[in-house]
């Protein structure tokens, strides 16, 4: 009987391949690499106070909003933004009047001091600036004064005001 049987050879090669794969994926060499900003935030630590972290947080807010996750977008508002409108009213207002499904892309950003960043976002052909504020160890979206005034009316009045002004996308 030969020790070089095709089935034994295939089994041995499979075992070697699985062992090599397990070894190479376990030894990637990243153990010494510093944790990324996303990993740091996910671990519950404070977000870095830099323009990259502010941009990342802003893009998350815009992605949530464009995807129709209005409750998730509201969660990333500043305390002043949250005080101006309840989460339920914010969701109701945006379900009634926002343009869902259209990607919002960050085009640029800059720091304004150590705890504020101005980001420029574009949806279709319109660009607008937004302010991100470092609050409670994280970057939060600060609603514009016009937005705060609208929010303070509550969902029903805000929807009516937007419809009257022709700014409610779902009229």
């Amino acid at each position: 009987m030969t020790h070089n049987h095709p089935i034994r050879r295939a089994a041995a090669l499979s075992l070697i391949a699985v062992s090599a794969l397990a070894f190479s994926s376990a030894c990637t060499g990243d153990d010494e690499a510093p944790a990324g900003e996303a990993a740091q935030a996910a671990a519950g630590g404070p977000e870095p106070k830099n323009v990259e972290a502010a941009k990342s947080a802003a893009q998350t807010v815009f992605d949530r909003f464009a995807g129709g996750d209005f409750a998730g977008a509201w969660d990333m508002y500043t305390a002043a933004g949250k005080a101006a409108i309840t989460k339920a009213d914010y969701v109701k207002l945006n379900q009634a009047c926002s343009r869902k499904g259209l990607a919002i892309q960050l085009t640029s950003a800059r720091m304004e001091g150590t705890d504020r960043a101005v980001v420029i976002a574009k949806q279709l052909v319109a660009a607008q600036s937004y302010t991100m504020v470092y609050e409670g160890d994280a970057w939060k979206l600060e609603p514009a004064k016009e937005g705060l005034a609208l929010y303070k009316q509550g969902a029903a009045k805000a929807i009516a005001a937007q419809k009257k002004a022709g700014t409610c996308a779902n009229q």
Side-chain angles (χ1 to χ4, degrees):
M1 181 162 155
T2 178
H3 294 288
N4 207 8
H5 191 273
I7 292 176
R8 285 187 186 169
R9 209 173 334 152
L13 288 174
S14 296
L15 183 60
I16 292 169
V18 168
S19 298
L21 181 62
F23 179 76
S24 67
S25 62
C27 299
T28 60
D30 322 293
D31 296 340
E32 303 298 317
E37 292 170 8
Q40 186 176 18
E47 292 180 9
K49 279 184 147 183
N50 60 37
V51 73
E52 291 80 18
K55 284 170 45 178
S56 178
Q59 190 63 61
T60 299
V61 175
F62 301 147
D63 289 348
R64 288 178 180 183
F65 190 87
D69 179 11
F70 304 121
W74 183 89
D75 286 340
M76 295 185 73
Y77 266 29
T78 59
K82 289 178 179 178
I85 189 168
T86 66
K87 184 186 282 193
D89 275 359
Y90 182 81
V91 169
K92 191 181 299 182
L93 168 63
N94 286 294
Q95 284 176 335
C97 289
S98 75
R99 281 178 258 159
K100 295 182 277 291
L102 297 175
I104 302 169
Q105 305 222 330
L106 207 58
T107 59
S108 65
R110 65 177 175 79
M111 291 297 294
E112 191 170 271
T114 59
D115 61 350
R116 297 175 78 78
V118 176
V119 298
I120 307 298
K122 186 176 181 180
Q123 188 176 40
L124 295 177
V125 295
Q128 185 171 338
S129 67
Y130 295 88
T131 301
M132 299 298 291
V133 176
Y134 196 81
E135 183 177 276
D137 290 337
W139 288 101
K140 304 289 184 176
L141 179 68
E142 180 179 75
K145 290 177 185 171
E146 301 82 14
L148 289 173
L150 180 70
Y151 296 160
K152 288 180 181 178
Q153 297 178 30
K157 288 182 180 178
I159 291 166
Q162 285 199 320
K163 285 183 177 182
K164 185 177 179 183
T167 56
C168 186
N170 300 321
Q171 298 190 71

